Amino acid sequence: MDLDRVAQLLGASLDARQNKQAELAILQEEKKPRFSLALLQIVASQSYGNTTRLASALCFKNFVKRNWTDEDGNYKLPSNEVTAIKQELIGLMISVPPTIQSQLGDAIGIIADSDFWERWDTLVDDLVSRLTPDNPTTNNGVLQVAHSIFKRWRPLYRSDQLFTEINHVLGKFSSPFVSLLVSTDDLIERSVSDKSLLQPLFSTLNLIMKLFYDLSCQDLPPIFEDNLASITSLLHKYLIYDNSSLHSDDEDEAGPLEYVKSGIFEVLSLYVQKYEDAFGPHVEPFVRSSWNLLTTIGAETKYDILVSKALQFLTSVTRIQQHAQAFNDESIMSQVIEKVILPNLTLRDSDMELFEDEPIEFIRRDLEGSDSDTRRRAATDFLRGLMSQYEKMVTEVIFKYINHYLSDYSKDPRNNWKSKDTAVFLYSSIAAKGVITASQGVKSTNAYVDVVNFFQTNIANDLLSETGIEPILKVDAIKYLYMFRSQMSRDQWHDAFPLLVRHLGSSNYVVYSYAAIAVERILALTDENRQPIVSQDSVVSLSKDLLEHLFSLVEKDPKPEKIQENEFLMRCVMRVLIVIRDGVVPLTDSVLAHLVNITRMISTNPSNPRFYYYHFEAVGAFIRFAAPSQPEKLEIALYTPFAFILQSDVSEFIPYVFQLFAALLEANPSASLSQYYKSLIVPILTVDLWTSKGNVPALVRLLSSLIPRGASDITANNQVEPILGIFKMLVATKTNEVYAFELLECVVSNFSPAVLENYYAPILQMLLTRLQNSKTELFSSRFVRFYHIVSAKDDKGLGVDFYIKITEQVQSGVFVPLYLNIILPDTQKLARPLDRKTAVISLTKTLSDSAAFADTYKKGWGYTCEALLKLLENPPVPAATDDLIVDHDVDDMSFGVGFTQLTTIKKLPRDPWPDIPDLKRWVGKYLSTADVRHKGRIAGFVQERLSPDARQVLMSYMQN
C-alpha cells in the first residue's frame, strides 16, 4: 500500500475545501488489504507531521469502530491482520505523543469491548511486562493503555461475566500496580528538587489515581483492602503535598498537583460511598485536610476542579450519619457555611468575565443539571447534603446569611448587587429537595420555606423593573422561576409567564437565553391530568411576535457556527410550534422562510448536534400542523434545502431529512403519489445509502410511506425486486431485523399476491434460516406478528392456507413444528395490543375458514382454539391516543449516536382493523357466521376437537 498517498489523503481530509473528496478516497483505500496496519505505520513514522499522524490515529480508531467485529462478535478483518494489530498497538501507544495516545487509547478500548479478556488474554501480561521501576515515560504509556481498558467497568452493572474479567485483571495486575505506587512515591522523594523528573512522575501518579478508581469501581480489591492503612497513608501524603516545582503560573489552567489531588478526592468519594465499613476508620484525617484545603485555597479558576472534588468528598461524608455528626452543632455549621460554602457560592470576577465574554459557556455551566465541575454546583450539593441530615438547623443558620445579604443589597442596590445574587442562590439551594427533574424542575421543597412568597417579596420586582437592575439579577429571577416552576399555580403562572416572554427582548445574551430556557420549560409543563399549565390559546395570541423575535435572535449572525451556537433558542422555537399546533397555519409563510433559511445555512457546516436536533424537530412540528392544509407549498419550499443535504452528503442531517420527507408525504391528503415523491424512489433504493446504520430507520419510514400510494408505479417500474433486495440485506443483521419486518409488512400489505408470487418462497426461506441459525427474541416476536398479518388477510388473497402452501414449498413438513413450537407459544408473548388483536383475528379466521386445519391439522384446530381463548381471557385494549410530544433528552449518553427519531413526526400505531371495536363479540359473530356458511362444520369441530371446558367457553361466545 502507498503510505504517502494515504498520508496525503489524511492531510487533505483536514482541509474544509477538499475534505469530502478526501474522505471518499479514503473509503476506497479502506477496501484494500492491511489498510489498518498502514494507518499504524503512519502513526509510528516520525517522517510525517504530527497533524498527519494524529489524523491517521483518528482514522484508525474510526476504522476499528466500524470494522473490528460484526454484531455476532466475529472478526470482519483477516485473522493475521487482527493478530498484527494487537501485537503492534500497545508498544505504539506507549511511544507516541499524548495527543495521539488518546486516539489509540480509544481504539484499544473498542477492541477491548469485543476481545478482552478471553480473546486477548495476553494483554495484561504484556502491560505488566512493560512496567519499569524508574521510567515514568514508559510507565505513563502503559498506564494510559490500562486506563483506556479498565475505565469501561465504571458504568457497568454487576454480573458474573464482569467479575470474571475484573478478577482476571486483578490476579495479574494488582500486585505490580501497588509496587508501582510505592516505587513512584520513592522516586518522587528522591526528585523533590528536579522539576524535569517531578512533572512526569506526577503524571504517573495522576494515572495511578485513575486506575485506582477503575480497579475499585465494582468491588474492593483484596490487595487494596489488605494494605488499606499504608495506601490511605500515601493518599493522604499527596493530598497535603506541596512543591513549588509543580505550581502552575497560569491562573486558569490546573497543574499536575491539582490533577493528582482531584484524583485522590474522586477515589475518597468512591470509598466513602461503597466501602465505608473498611474505609470508615481512615476518613477523619481526610476530612480535616479537606477543611484545611478549602479554607486556604485561592479563588483562581485553576483550582475549580480540585475545590469541586473536595466538596464532593465532603458531600459523600455528610450522607453517612456517623460522619455527619461532626457537623451537628450550630457554631460548627456556621463556620462551615461561612468558610467553605459561601466563598464558593459567591460570584467571582472570573465568573463575571465568563458571563460577559463567553455567555453561552456561562449558561451551560450554570444550568441546574449540568455536569460541569463548578464551585457553585459542588458547594450547593454539599449544602444539600448537610440539609438532608439537619434540615431545620441548616435552614435557620442559612437564613441569617440570606437576611444579611438582602439587607446589604437594600443599602446600596447599585453597588451591592452581588449580595443579592448570593442571597437568592443560597435560598434556592436550601429550598430545593430531592432530584431536580428536567421536566418539572423542583418537585419537593424544604418544609421550612415558602418559595412563592420569597419570589413575590424579594425577586418579582427584578423582573418587573425596566431599568436599574443588574443583568445577573434578572438571570437569577428567571432561573428561580425555571427551577421552582412546579411549585406555582396556574393562576400564578398567568401573571408570571408574560414577564418571562418580555425578557426575550433583553439586549443581554444570558438574560434572553435564560428567558428562552424558562419559556420553553413552562410551555412543556403539565398538571397531574397532563393538561398544559399555559393554555394553547394564550400562546397562539403571542406566537407571531414570539416566533419572529426568536428567529431574529437565532439568525442575528449569519455564520453557520454562530446560528447553531445557542440550542436553547431553537428549543424554544420548537416548543412554541408544538404548543400552538395548527395555530401556525396563518404564520406559514414567515415560519417557512425562517426554517428554510436556517436549514440552508447550517447545512454548510453542521457543528452543534443539540441545535440541529431541535431545529429539525421544529421543522417536523411545522410539517405536522401546517402541511395538511397546504402541502404543495411546504413541499416546494423544503425540497431545495433537503435536496442539497442529500446531494452534498451531509451525513449528520440525512436521517432527519428522510423522516421529514416521509412526514410531508403522510401529511398530504392526496391518495396518489405525485411526481415530487416518485422522483425520490430511485435514489432511496441505492444500496450505498442503506449501509449507514443511522439512515436505515429513516429510509424504512420513508419507503413505507411511499409504497401504499405508489404500489402500482413501483410495480410498473420493476422496483419491487430492489425493495425486496433491501429487505434481504436488513433481515441478515440483528441490528436491522425490526426494520426488515416493518418493510416486509408494508410490502405484503400493499402488493398483491400475484405481484409477489415469485418472492414469497425466498422470503420465507430467509426467515426460516434466521429462525434456525440466529434467532433472537425480537426476531421471533416479529416473525409471529408477520405470520398473523398474512393469516388475517385472507380477503386479500392471503390467509393461513396460503402461508402453509408457501412454507411447504420451502421445506416439506416444516409448518407443523413451526406452528407448534414457535407461532402458538410466542403468540401469547405478543405485548402490543394491536399485535394481539391481529393474532385474535388471525386465529379466528384459521378456525373458521382454513381447509388445512379443517382436514389435515385436526389436532392443530384444537390447539389453535385454545390459544385463541387464552388471548381472549384478557382481550387487547388499544392504547389511549396520547398527543403529547416529548422530545429527546439531549444530555443522554446515547443521544445523537446513529439514528435519532424526530418525536414531533413520530409515526403513531395504526389499527388495521378499526371496524372491530369489541373483539369478543366479533369472534363469536364471525365463528357463528362461518358455521352457517360451512353448514354446521364449526359446531361439529367444537364438539369433536375441544375439551369440555374449552367447548363451553367458545360456545358462549358463539351464542352471544
Side-chain angles (χ1 to χ4, degrees):
M1 181 170 287
D2 187 344
L3 292 187
D4 289 340
R5 169 169 166 73
V6 175
Q8 185 181 13
L9 290 172
L10 290 167
S13 71
L14 304 174
D15 184 345
R17 294 166 299 180
Q18 48 183 333
N19 64 337
K20 286 290 182 187
Q21 299 92 319
E23 286 167 4
L24 290 173
I26 290 170
L27 287 174
Q28 294 305 311
E29 293 291 326
E30 280 187 10
K31 297 173 183 176
K32 297 179 180 178
R34 300 176 72 82
F35 173 74
S36 61
L37 297 175
L39 293 175
L40 292 182
Q41 284 179 270
I42 293 170
V43 172
S45 174
Q46 296 190 15
S47 63
Y48 299 107
N50 275 349
T51 304
T52 301
R53 295 171 69 193
L54 178 60
S56 189
L58 179 60
C59 185
F60 175 80
K61 177 185 77 173
N62 292 330
F63 177 83
V64 164
K65 188 184 294 185
R66 295 192 305 271
N67 297 293
W68 192 252
T69 58
D70 62 21
E71 59 185 9
D72 294 318
N74 302 310
Y75 291 125
K76 294 167 73 173
L77 299 174
S79 59
N80 60 347
E81 192 169 343
V82 168
T83 302
I85 288 171
K86 290 180 180 178
Q87 288 173 345
E88 297 295 325
L89 198 49
I90 305 304
L92 179 58
M93 180 169 168
I94 290 169
S95 66
V96 295
T99 51
I100 300 176
Q101 273 187 347
S102 65
Q103 297 300 329
L104 294 182
D106 289 344
I108 290 170
I110 293 164
I111 295 171
D113 274 337
S114 159
D115 288 17
F116 188 72
W117 61 281
E118 287 160 319
R119 294 199 296 190
W120 202 0
D121 58 358
T122 59
L123 175 60
V124 181
D125 291 325
D126 188 7
L127 292 175
V128 169
S129 71
R130 295 173 187 269
L131 288 172
T132 74
D134 55 5
N135 187 334
T137 303
T138 299
N139 290 340
N140 290 348
V142 173
L143 296 178
Q144 191 68 55
V145 174
H147 176 54
S148 68
I149 297 166
F150 306 157
K151 70 181 179 183
R152 296 158 40 254
W153 303 334
R154 294 190 182 196
L156 300 181
Y157 290 108
R158 298 170 70 95
S159 68
D160 291 344
Q161 186 179 359
L162 174 61
F163 275 78
T164 301
E165 179 180 320
I166 293 173
N167 288 332
H168 166 80
V169 170
L170 291 174
K172 296 172 180 287
F173 190 78
S174 60
S175 183
F177 176 73
V178 171
S179 298
L180 180 65
L181 172 59
V182 173
S183 64
T184 302
D185 172 52
D186 184 54
L187 282 173
I188 290 172
E189 283 295 325
R190 291 191 274 128
S191 310
V192 288
S193 56
D194 189 339
K195 184 175 182 177
S196 63
L197 272 177
L198 271 182
Q199 295 274 359
L201 284 169
F202 263 75
S203 294
T204 305
L205 201 55
N206 184 32
L207 284 164
I208 286 173
M209 289 307 115
K210 290 179 179 179
L211 279 159
F212 201 92
Y213 192 109
D214 297 337
L215 296 170
S216 306
C217 65
Q218 291 289 340
D219 205 353
L220 181 57
I223 194 169
F224 293 176
E225 187 170 13
D226 294 343
N227 296 279
L228 201 54
S230 57
I231 289 173
T232 54
S233 176
L234 266 181
L235 294 180
H236 189 260
K237 171 182 175 178
Y238 286 103
L239 191 64
I240 61 176
Y241 186 88
D242 194 19
N243 189 315
S244 58
S245 298
L246 297 168
H247 291 179
S248 167
D249 295 330
D250 190 332
E251 290 193 357
D252 296 326
E253 289 296 323
L257 206 53
E258 287 76 50
Y259 283 121
V260 166
K261 292 183 179 184
S262 298
I264 291 171
F265 275 124
E266 284 197 70
V267 168
L268 297 177
S269 296
L270 174 72
Y271 271 61
V272 167
Q273 292 162 18
K274 287 182 71 86
Y275 314 121
E276 202 277 330
D277 286 350
F279 184 60
H282 307 282
V283 166
E284 190 179 338
F286 292 104
V287 173
R288 285 200 306 270
S289 298
S290 303
W291 173 264
N292 292 336
L293 183 147
L294 289 167
T295 54
T296 57
I297 200 165
E300 293 88 346
T301 307
K302 66 181 178 181
Y303 299 125
D304 284 4
I305 293 177
L306 175 54
V307 169
S308 297
K309 297 300 181 187
L311 286 167
Q312 286 166 19
F313 165 64
L314 288 180
T315 304
S316 300
V317 170
T318 61
R319 305 286 184 193
I320 298 169
Q321 181 64 42
Q322 67 185 77
H323 298 309
Q325 281 297 325
F327 303 102
N328 189 14
D329 179 271
E330 191 168 320
S331 63
I332 292 174
M333 188 67 71
S334 296
Q335 287 185 56
V336 170
I337 290 167
E338 194 161 318
K339 294 183 178 180
V340 174
I341 290 175
L342 289 176
N344 292 301
L345 278 180
T346 307
L347 278 175
R348 298 168 299 167
D349 291 343
S350 59
D351 297 320
M352 291 313 300
E353 287 171 11
L354 196 67
F355 182 92
E356 292 161 4
D357 300 336
E358 297 182 65
I360 193 69
E361 183 61 24
F362 177 90
I363 294 165
R364 291 189 180 126
R365 290 189 189 183
D366 185 58
L367 263 180
E368 192 69 45
S370 160
D371 59 0
S372 299
D373 283 322
T374 64
R375 294 190 186 216
R376 274 194 151 189
R377 176 71 28 74
T380 300
D381 290 343
F382 180 37
L383 182 55
R384 288 177 180 161
L386 293 169
M387 285 278 299
S388 68
Q389 297 287 358
Y390 309 112
E391 184 175 61
K392 189 171 188 295
M393 179 176 67
V394 173
T395 303
E396 290 172 352
V397 173
I398 285 290
F399 254 102
K400 294 176 185 176
Y401 291 98
I402 290 172
N403 292 332
H404 162 75
Y405 284 118
L406 288 175
S407 174
D408 188 53
Y409 169 73
S410 66
K411 293 172 187 172
D412 187 358
R414 180 178 294 276
N415 293 310
N416 294 348
W417 58 268
K418 281 188 180 181
S419 292
K420 184 167 185 181
D421 170 78
T422 304
V424 172
F425 203 95
L426 271 176
Y427 188 89
S428 301
S429 298
I430 62 163
K433 286 181 69 176
V435 177
I436 300 176
T437 67
S439 60
Q440 295 180 294
V442 175
K443 296 179 70 175
S444 177
T445 60
N446 181 341
Y448 302 101
V449 303
D450 182 341
V451 294
V452 174
N453 178 263
F454 187 83
F455 173 77
Q456 292 168 338
T457 305
N458 299 292
I459 299 176
N461 190 59
D462 294 341
L463 288 178
L464 290 165
S465 300
E466 297 281 355
T467 58
I469 304 295
E470 277 289 322
I472 198 78
L473 295 183
K474 294 274 189 187
V475 170
D476 289 342
I478 295 167
K479 187 180 176 186
Y480 189 93
L481 288 176
Y482 160 79
M483 281 182 63
F484 295 105
R485 55 190 180 274
S486 292
Q487 305 303 314
M488 295 174 63
S489 67
R490 182 177 268 100
D491 289 342
Q492 287 164 342
W493 270 120
H494 183 269
D495 296 330
F497 186 70
L499 294 176
L500 290 178
V501 173
R502 193 173 81 192
H503 281 79
L504 287 169
S506 170
S507 60
N508 184 277
Y509 188 104
V510 180
V511 172
Y512 70 65
S513 297
Y514 247 117
I517 292 165
V519 165
E520 189 276 329
R521 287 290 81 194
I522 307 315
L523 291 180
L525 191 64
T526 58
D527 61 19
E528 61 277 5
N529 298 316
R530 295 172 73 82
Q531 294 304 304
I533 294 296
V534 178
S535 71
Q536 179 187 354
D537 290 344
S538 63
V539 182
V540 169
S541 63
L542 299 168
S543 60
K544 182 175 183 295
D545 293 337
L546 181 55
L547 285 168
E548 200 61 44
H549 183 68
L550 285 166
F551 280 127
S552 72
L553 293 173
V554 171
E555 297 169 287
K556 187 159 57 174
D557 188 328
K559 291 191 286 293
E561 63 276 12
K562 293 302 289 182
I563 285 179
Q564 296 171 81
E565 178 183 74
N566 194 330
E567 67 265 22
F568 307 111
L569 296 174
M570 185 47 71
R571 189 179 191 184
C572 194
V573 169
M574 173 200 77
R575 185 64 56 196
V576 172
L577 291 172
I578 288 171
V579 169
I580 66 173
R581 305 177 75 82
D582 55 7
V584 77
V585 172
L587 314 176
T588 294
D589 289 347
S590 169
V591 173
L592 182 57
H594 286 297
L595 292 175
V596 166
N597 181 55
I598 293 169
T599 305
R600 183 176 57 82
M601 295 298 293
I602 66 176
S603 297
T604 60
N605 182 22
S607 58
N608 183 351
R610 289 175 169 84
F611 179 92
Y612 55 72
Y613 163 68
Y614 290 130
H615 168 69
F616 287 118
E617 284 283 23
V619 176
F622 180 62
I623 289 171
R624 176 171 173 175
F625 300 120
S629 62
Q630 41 203 325
E632 291 81 9
K633 176 181 284 189
L634 270 68
E635 289 168 357
I636 292 167
L638 290 169
Y639 185 83
T640 301
F642 286 0
F644 173 82
I645 288 166
L646 298 179
Q647 290 159 7
S648 304
D649 192 27
V650 186
S651 57
E652 299 93 334
F653 291 1
I654 287 175
Y656 292 127
V657 166
F658 287 141
Q659 292 178 76
L660 294 167
F661 267 134
L664 275 171
L665 173 57
E666 291 157 7
N668 191 322
S670 169
S672 61
L673 204 60
S674 68
Q675 192 57 42
Y676 179 93
Y677 294 106
K678 288 178 185 177
S679 67
L680 292 174
I681 295 175
V682 172
I684 68 170
L685 294 181
T686 307
V687 173
D688 285 350
L689 267 181
W690 294 81
T691 57
S692 169
K693 288 181 183 178
N695 287 351
V696 169
L699 283 167
V700 169
R701 164 81 182 274
L702 178 53
L703 199 48
S704 299
S705 300
L706 290 165
I707 288 171
R709 303 188 192 207
S712 57
D713 288 295
I714 290 169
T715 304
N717 293 326
N718 298 316
Q719 291 167 325
V720 173
E721 191 161 316
I723 291 172
L724 290 174
I726 288 165
F727 160 75
K728 180 180 179 181
M729 181 173 69
L730 298 181
V731 81
T733 65
K734 294 175 184 175
T735 306
N736 291 322
E737 59 191 22
V738 66
Y739 306 113
F741 275 108
E742 285 183 15
L743 184 57
L744 180 60
E745 290 167 10
C746 181
V747 167
V748 167
S749 299
N750 290 284
F751 292 105
S752 70
V755 170
L756 299 176
E757 184 178 4
N758 296 328
Y759 302 112
Y760 268 111
I763 287 169
L764 273 175
Q765 177 74 64
M766 282 183 269
L767 296 180
L768 292 175
T769 301
R770 268 293 313 269
L771 268 180
Q772 184 174 0
N773 297 335
S774 54
K775 182 180 79 168
T776 65
E777 191 172 330
L778 179 60
F779 184 92
S780 182
S781 173
R782 292 304 295 248
F783 177 86
V784 171
R785 168 177 145 147
F786 173 69
Y787 165 81
H788 286 303
I789 288 171
V790 174
S791 171
K793 290 183 179 290
D794 58 345
D795 56 330
K796 306 290 186 184
L798 302 174
V800 67
D801 289 346
F802 173 84
Y803 190 96
I804 292 169
K805 182 182 77 172
I806 301 298
T807 307
E808 293 300 301
Q809 288 175 17
V810 174
Q811 183 181 335
S812 178
V814 77
F815 178 75
V816 171
L818 181 68
Y819 191 72
L820 294 179
N821 299 325
I822 293 179
I823 292 172
L824 281 185
D826 283 12
T827 292
Q828 303 301 329
K829 299 176 187 176
L830 292 172
R832 294 192 291 189
L834 291 178
D835 293 350
R836 293 173 68 84
K837 183 177 183 179
T838 300
V840 167
I841 293 166
S842 157
L843 297 177
T844 303
K845 289 186 174 183
T846 298
L847 296 176
S848 300
D849 298 310
S850 169
F853 276 81
D855 302 326
T856 308
Y857 307 127
K858 295 179 181 179
K859 285 187 178 179
W861 197 96
Y863 297 144
T864 301
C865 189
E866 289 170 7
L868 171 64
L869 294 177
K870 197 168 183 180
L871 280 177
L872 288 175
E873 286 175 10
N874 295 296
V877 178
T881 53
D882 191 344
D883 220 10
L884 203 64
I885 298 171
V886 181
D887 52 290
H888 293 284
D889 177 4
V890 295
D891 293 316
D892 186 273
M893 286 178 67
S894 62
F895 168 77
V897 178
F899 172 74
T900 301
Q901 185 177 66
L902 294 174
T903 58
T904 51
I905 51 171
K906 183 179 180 181
K907 199 168 185 178
L908 299 175
R910 187 183 66 84
D911 186 354
W913 322 98
D915 53 340
I916 305 177
D918 186 334
L919 267 180
K920 286 186 176 180
R921 184 183 298 274
W922 177 86
V923 168
K925 186 175 180 182
Y926 196 91
L927 288 171
S928 299
T929 304
D931 189 48
V932 172
R933 189 167 66 247
H934 294 298
K935 299 181 172 53
R937 186 177 75 180
I938 308 298
F941 290 165
V942 169
Q943 296 303 319
E944 297 166 13
R945 302 179 181 181
L946 295 183
S947 67
D949 289 344
R951 187 185 310 146
Q952 183 179 352
V953 175
L954 189 64
M955 291 305 294
S956 71
Y957 290 142
M958 292 176 67
Q959 290 165 4
N960 276 342

